[in-house]
Amino acid sequence: MDLITFARGTALDAAFTIFIIGIAWRLIAIFRHPVKRDLSAPRTTHTLSGAIRTIFSRMVPHREFRASTRFSVINGYVFHLGLAIIVFGFLPHIVFITRLTGISWPALPNGIVYLVAAITIMSLLIALMVRMNNPVLALLSNFDDYFSWLVTMLPLATGMVALGALGESDSALGASQNGLAVAVHLLSFELLLIWLPFGKLAHAVLVFVSRGTTGSQFARKGART
């Protein structure tokens, strides 16, 4: 079995299995956690709307903190949106998702995706430099923060390398290099899948649960968030 076959088969199956089991384990642990019974009368029964409102309202910092957090918030949106565009807008990724789910949609032009990938890489590098050079952030950061950054950056970096190898795939040597680059790109993505449920990257899923739960509880008490 060569590396590309392993990356597309056994490694991919194992990564998705660990990802699904890990996310399920995190969610089950959250919902099994005992909740103190609220004996007060509910102010409203529209707790779902409160949950949805909080999910979206927390995407914008409170007015008091906007000036001091503006740069970090904007940069965070840049790389989050960039990652979403790369994953869901690049044709090879859409083909990959279609093969797994049967769902497809039109792809963005390659030039746009390449530009977004470059911007996203720069944004992630800026985020790392800010973290390392800010005394408070540096003090609060741990292995999870840096490793999560690394496993997010690796698929972007290896994807750019794979694109470069693709342009040289006319020769036999180029085709071999392209296969190796694609295999490494897939393995870096699979590392991201494996790590995601167990590190801070789990917020990609859990953020909706935590914010929704908070919004629902506040709505029950008659408070807006």
Side-chain angles (χ1 to χ4, degrees), residues 86-97 105-108 110 113:
I86 294 165
V87 171
F88 298 109
F90 190 37
L91 180 58
H93 295 165
I94 296 173
V95 172
F96 176 78
I97 295 171
W105 55 88
L108 292 172
N110 285 348
V113 179

Side-chain angles (χ1 to χ4, degrees), residues 100-112:
L100 293 175
T101 66
I103 302 171
S104 64
W105 55 88
L108 292 172
N110 285 348
I112 292 178

Side-chain angles (χ1 to χ4, degrees), residues 19 24-25 34 38 46 56 69 87 92 100 111-112 126 132 135 162 167 174 179:
F19 170 76
W25 172 71
D38 191 346
H46 301 293
F56 290 99
T69 62
V87 171
L100 293 175
I112 292 178
I126 291 171
M132 295 177 67

Side-chain angles (χ1 to χ4, degrees), residues 51-60 77 208 211:
I52 295 173
R53 182 173 60 248
T54 301
I55 288 173
F56 290 99
S57 67
R58 294 296 175 89
M59 293 182 178
V60 179
Y77 271 108
F208 303 103
R211 289 182 180 178

